[in-house]
Amino acid sequence: MNVTFLGSGNLATHVALALNLAGVTIVQVYSPNHEHARELADKVGAEPVSDLSCLKQADVYISAVKDNAQEPMWQQLSLNGYIPESSFVFHTSGSIGLDEVRKYFGRSAVFYPLQSFSKQRAVDLSDAPFLIDASTKEAEEIAVSLARRISSNVSIMDSEKRKVVHLAAVFASNFANNMYSIASDILGREDIPFSILAPLIRETAAKIGGMEPVAAQTGPAVRGDRNIMNAHLNRLDSNYAEIYSLVSRNIERMRDENNNKK
């Protein structure tokens, strides 16, 4: 089995590197920016291309461009016949449905790795969830087989459920990281390094491996400690105070709902 990557960003980089390490041949890497294509292609022994008309035949094309660029690229590929009918097209988006790619390619699948990717940091994909949804049984088997080359955590999940997972992931990862950014800014104003919070962050993340997040909640909001909460609010600018108040109210709401279930 050989693969061409349509895209050379964070996700494409890590998945291509993992597949290449697992023995999968990467034929080409496409990006409209030739230097970006070359950067990844050089790492996986592939040919860089910046023109879709230069694509060679591959067994699988993994479409890993930005979400808003996926369908325009599929339209161009389909209209011009750049993808052979015998090949498979998999997209990696958590928020785009299977039907959207199936309109253009009958042999298609969703090949979604549930992980956060940054080019400058290595990612272990061995237990990262890969969520698969396919247009045909053959496409499903190939997508699952490819995912299992690099991960032990592969599931079949339809598009609606996957979109719910993607939404939850935004809260769990993207929003959580934004909270780290706020904390870093607050500390930085007093020349205190963000690293002082690292043990606390590790312990908070470790706790939810064995208990429900609502039960692991600590802090002044879950205790209803108004004195401390007001003191915090007085230290914050209006933007951060608004976030602090909104999140604190939600912590209190979830605490009350959880207590009422007992």
Side-chain angles (χ1 to χ4, degrees):
M1 183 182 301
N2 56 58
V3 173
T4 282
F5 273 82
L6 305 174
S8 60
N10 293 341
L11 187 154
T13 295
H14 287 288
V15 175
L17 288 171
L19 287 174
N20 179 246
L21 191 62
V24 175
T25 299
I26 312 299
V27 180
Q28 292 177 306
V29 174
Y30 162 78
S31 171
N33 183 314
H34 192 78
E35 281 305 303
H36 291 173
R38 184 189 57 78
E39 182 181 352
L40 176 54
D42 285 351
K43 293 177 181 177
V44 296
E47 176 190 358
V49 293
S50 54
D51 187 332
L52 291 173
S53 67
C54 295
L55 290 177
K56 297 177 179 177
Q57 182 166 352
D59 297 319
V60 176
Y61 296 82
I62 295 182
S63 182
V65 297
K66 293 179 180 179
D67 284 5
N68 61 5
Q70 295 270 24
E71 186 159 9
M73 182 177 68
W74 299 338
Q75 288 175 336
Q76 187 177 354
L77 290 168
S78 177
L79 180 65
N80 292 286
Y82 293 149
I83 302 290
E85 290 185 6
S86 60
S87 299
F88 296 85
V89 176
F90 300 163
H91 82 67
T92 59
S93 171
S95 59
I96 297 177
L98 173 64
D99 287 344
E100 294 170 71
V101 64
R102 186 162 47 187
K103 289 187 300 185
Y104 302 98
F105 309 103
R107 309 179 90 188
S108 54
V110 178
F111 188 80
Y112 171 53
L114 180 58
Q115 187 54 276
S116 176
F117 298 100
S118 298
K119 278 188 180 180
Q120 62 270 31
R121 178 176 171 82
V123 177
D124 180 8
L125 292 176
S126 62
D127 66 347
F130 272 75
L131 307 182
I132 307 298
D133 189 18
S135 62
T136 67
K137 192 64 179 176
E138 186 181 11
E140 179 182 296
E141 290 172 354
I142 290 176
V144 167
S145 174
L146 203 59
R148 285 180 176 163
R149 297 274 194 115
I150 56 179
S151 175
S152 61
N153 191 351
V154 180
S155 302
I156 307 300
M157 184 177 291
D158 66 40
S159 290
E160 287 308 307
K161 287 186 178 179
R162 190 183 70 258
K163 289 177 182 180
V164 171
V165 171
H166 187 258
L167 171 59
V170 168
F171 277 90
S173 177
N174 306 140
F175 288 0
N177 188 72
N178 184 249
M179 294 297 178
Y180 300 156
S181 299
I182 292 172
S184 180
D185 185 36
I186 291 169
L187 290 170
R189 295 178 186 188
E190 299 296 331
D191 295 320
I192 302 170
F194 179 70
S195 59
I196 197 170
L197 297 180
L200 173 65
I201 292 169
R202 287 195 296 269
E203 175 59 18
T204 302
K207 278 196 297 187
I208 61 173
M211 59 195 303
E212 287 296 316
V214 69
Q217 187 70 58
T218 61
V222 78
R223 297 193 305 268
D225 194 330
R226 296 293 171 188
N227 289 332
I228 291 180
M229 293 167 69
N230 288 333
H232 286 171
L233 288 168
N234 288 335
R235 284 183 171 272
L236 296 171
D237 62 34
S238 59
N239 289 330
Y240 288 170
E242 182 180 2
I243 295 169
Y244 185 102
S245 296
L246 179 63
V247 175
S248 294
R249 287 197 300 272
N250 197 58
I251 290 171
E252 292 173 320
R253 179 188 63 79
M254 296 184 78
R255 173 203 63 197
D256 293 342
E257 288 180 355
N258 188 53
N259 289 339
N260 289 336
K261 293 177 183 177
K262 296 178 180 178

